Amino acid sequence: QVHMVESGGGLVQTGGSLRLSCAASENIFSVDDMGWYRQAPGKQRELVATITWGGATNYTDSVKGRFTISRDNDKNTLYLQMNGLKPEDTAVYYCNADRVATMWGPRYDIWGQGTQVTVSS
């Protein structure tokens, strides 16, 4: 089974930091573009940040200067360093892989199960 697994969420006070990780299952050989998304209660899922295999990044305006997306291609792992957290950052955070290579061929649009981030005021 091809999947992604997030970790690192939790409860933090305003101004605090968290680091999210997302690891690809062992049967994934490589991953193309990856990204972090989040969904707050009662709201639609929104893009937080993306990163290409080569390291080019893109951020939504509300997290620029506070969040940093990165990846380790050797480990097929995605990271999100979140600093200066605000209550409005509270959401379930999901990682996404646009395209992955597996022994069964390519697979597309792979999502993790999500990890909860809660920022208290």
Side-chain angles (χ1 to χ4, degrees):
Q1 186 177 3
V2 176
H3 56 273
M4 312 289 287
V5 180
E6 299 103 335
S7 60
L11 173 64
V12 65
Q13 293 184 335
T14 297
S17 298
L18 284 174
R19 188 188 193 214
L20 306 183
S21 299
C22 175
S25 55
E26 293 184 352
N27 47 25
I28 291 177
F29 299 152
S30 64
V31 184
D32 288 352
D33 294 354
M34 303 178 78
W36 288 99
Y37 294 74
R38 65 186 180 187
Q39 187 167 17
K43 295 187 177 180
Q44 290 187 335
R45 189 173 297 187
E46 65 171 354
L47 172 70
V48 176
T50 61
I51 185 168
T52 67
W53 187 90
T57 60
N58 180 59
Y59 298 89
T60 191
D61 286 345
S62 62
V63 307
K64 285 180 180 178
R66 300 189 297 123
F67 292 9
T68 302
I69 189 171
S70 61
R71 62 188 291 171
D72 184 331
N73 289 335
D74 290 336
K75 298 180 180 179
N76 288 329
T77 301
L78 178 69
Y79 304 98
L80 185 68
Q81 178 66 45
M82 304 185 294
N83 300 326
L85 282 161
K86 305 175 181 180
E88 51 264 43
D89 294 318
T90 295
V92 178
Y93 284 70
Y94 299 89
C95 69
N96 173 265
D98 180 46
R99 179 185 182 276
V100 302
T102 76
M103 62 183 295
W104 304 284
R107 296 291 185 267
Y108 301 91
D109 199 26
I110 308 298
W111 290 90
Q113 82 289 351
T115 185
Q116 176 70 47
V117 171
T118 302
V119 185
S120 62
S121 57

